[in-house]
Amino acid sequence: MSTQQGQDAKFFQRGKIEEFRAELQAAEAKDKKYQKRKTVLKKIVANITMGNDMSPLFHDVIQCIGTPLLEIKKMVYLFLVSYGRSKPDQIHLVIPSFLQDCSDRNPLIRALAIRTMSYIPIPVVTEALGDQLRHCLKDRDPYVRKTAAICVAKVYTADPRKAERKGFVELLRDMLIDENATVVANAVAALSEIGDRQDGVIFKLNLTIANKLLGALGESSEWGQIYILDSLLRYVPEQHADAEMMAERVIVQLQHANSAVVLTTIKALLYLMNYIGDRRLIDYICRKMGPPLVTLLSSGPEVQYVALRNILLIIQRRPTVLKNDVKAFFCKYNDPIYVKLAKLEIMYRLAREENAREVLAELEEYASEVDVDFVRKAVRSIGRLAIKVEPAADKCIESLLKLIETKVTYVVQEAVIVTKDIFRRYPGKYEGIIPKLCENLDALDEPEAKAAMVWILGQFADKIDNADELLDDLVYSFLDEPAEVQLALLTAVVKLFIYKSQSEVTKALVHKVLKWATEDIDNPDLRDRGFMYWRMLAMNPAVAAEIVLAEKPAITTDSDRMDRGALDQLLLHTGTLGSIYHKNPETFIRNAAGRALIDSPALNANSRAVLVTLARPQLPPTVISVSGPGPVEPTRPSQPGEAADNVPLPTIMESSRSDERDLLDIEGDDGAGGDSGEGYPDGDDDGPVTKAADPYASWVVRLVVT
């Protein structure tokens, strides 16, 4: 293999169009074994790979499409995939060859032809593809069938309306019970891609099909297993027993060596746990999920980062998964900075009274590192640990004081910022460290740190003897400070005045600051606050003092937690970009359909309380009338007892593309046999419901008729 790669490396040299054209024409004369053509085509493909435009050779390359050599045919088809859509006026020249290859005896050539056609979204090609794709979906060779399944998704992307009208989605549905596991996996992949579109059909599974897919799991490739496991999120358990049985069959995949399979398995288990009623089984699944997640941390840094971002979501929803594994997230000296920062956040999330001492010792070590961003994050994590774990607060304060004594500017500033939050968390405690903070006032040059120190001076102005002097020094540069610091100074000076209203220095200071805030500042927030304070102090100083100095509630760590409904929604995207960005894919991927838990009798009460509903395109709630004469409708013979007038036959109503997406909903209600009305405003049927006598007894195909 390496020898072949070494031989092919010589083709990766920039060539000229005229030279390639001359070589192809010369090869037509004396090239019985097609070696010359193969060599030229390799050069052309290599230039395409390097980003060179080879489209002028379109007419010359397609002359080689009739060559019986498979290797040459592959390169010609690769050329067509690259430049076919840019040559709509010449693509009709290769359609006869496409159709001929679709009927070739060799299944590789049949699959190659159908795949290449699906990659060229030009009307003349997709029109010729229709019948051939239908035949290939029923081909006797599984390789052709599995290729055709993926082609359906490509055709749907190019023209959803035509794909639905030709019945390709129903053919994909039938392939879910194919005897070949690879065909099943590709059918699931295609249906999932179609169902993930906002304007796509609704793809759901019933219990029968879900069990069939799980049966094909063991024989599928790694990618096939990922698609099958991901499709289980489209199955909505109606009973706790169904979800429990499904989870027991899926949990064995946690032992897989592939990290993507492991993460997708965890995603399926987290989804099913919302429908499981047995608390002991939920705890068992949580214990089983921990070791595979820790194992992912032994992979490369990129895989580690993906795992860490997913773990951060998982432990917020299921804290017991890794509650005893905080040591696994201690940083290594050679970890990239993005991995270290992700580990720090998880360490904080997993910290509790039992392991707080170990976590604090680790954070103190990180605070002496050389990377500034990492040190800042470590110091801030010490303060957050003090707020979260009250028994560890004393030790955290001692650690922060040691860090302040280092006199390192950015360390001192971060320590001041978190100390302010500690004061808010524990009112009346730790006020003895204020003098130590005041000693480092000159070292503060960042807006957030300076604003935090100003807040401390104002909040404890009655306990700091020289608070007026310190604030007077800070007010000197009031007009040049950022808005964040100006707001803090304004409030702090008003607090100082309330505490020391008899001091002439304080009176002059508050008058100067209020005058600046109301006359010389353009910031509307700062100006409005200045006017408000001034009027309150002028009209009723006692009321102003009561309002400004009112005791605020102690802060908590609840603000660090993600909303439960949003968290449940994000966990449905575990192992995807959404779990890395911590955003739903529909917010950053065009036409992506959202996911959310679906209500059912088996859904846990806590999950139902925060259920997020998703809006999908709806059919018009009323009949749309179009003025003008309509078409002449076909007639059928009158029935006995019926008037012999023309009776219109049922016809499929044409609608806009967005509406037609909802005319065909593939659903699985697990034998319920009824139409839930999803996608219809009033839940009423707009036409007859047809059921097939096959394992898909509960699949519903909706057609709007007139």
Side-chain angles (χ1 to χ4, degrees), residues 627-678:
S627 59
V632 177
E633 297 180 337
T635 61
R636 59 175 170 82
S638 60
Q639 301 297 327
E642 187 177 51
D645 298 329
N646 290 343
V647 181
L649 289 172
T651 58
I652 297 178
M653 180 175 67
E654 294 292 329
S655 62
S656 65
R657 172 171 295 186
S658 63
D659 295 336
E660 189 157 340
R661 296 295 78 76
D662 285 328
L663 299 186
L664 178 62
D665 289 354
I666 299 182
E667 297 188 345
D669 295 327
D670 195 15
D675 192 349
S676 65
E678 184 176 352

Side-chain angles (χ1 to χ4, degrees), residues 431 454-465 467-468 471 491-504 506-507 510 537 541-542 544-552:
E431 295 171 2
V454 169
W455 180 90
I456 294 173
L457 292 175
Q459 186 69 17
F460 301 100
D462 58 330
K463 300 177 182 178
I464 302 175
D465 295 335
D468 49 354
L471 284 174
T491 303
V493 168
V494 171
K495 288 181 179 179
L496 174 67
F497 175 74
I498 292 173
Y499 282 127
K500 302 179 180 180
S501 57
Q502 303 303 321
S503 170
E504 294 298 327
T506 304
K507 290 180 181 179
V510 72
L537 293 173
E546 185 178 349
I547 293 175
V548 175
L549 301 180
E551 187 174 348
K552 310 296 189 298

Side-chain angles (χ1 to χ4, degrees), residues 177-219:
I177 56 173
D178 196 281
E179 66 274 6
N180 187 280
T182 305
V183 175
V184 172
N186 281 27
V188 169
L191 283 170
S192 298
E193 183 174 338
I194 293 171
D196 284 340
R197 294 168 56 96
Q198 285 186 342
D199 56 352
V201 298
I202 300 175
F203 172 37
K204 294 183 181 179
L205 299 176
N206 59 23
L207 183 59
T208 304
I209 303 304
N211 283 324
K212 172 66 179 176
L213 295 181
L214 286 177
L217 203 58
E219 303 174 14

Side-chain angles (χ1 to χ4, degrees), residues 12 154 214 278 338 585:
F12 286 85
K154 301 295 182 184
L214 286 177
D278 188 349
Y338 57 88

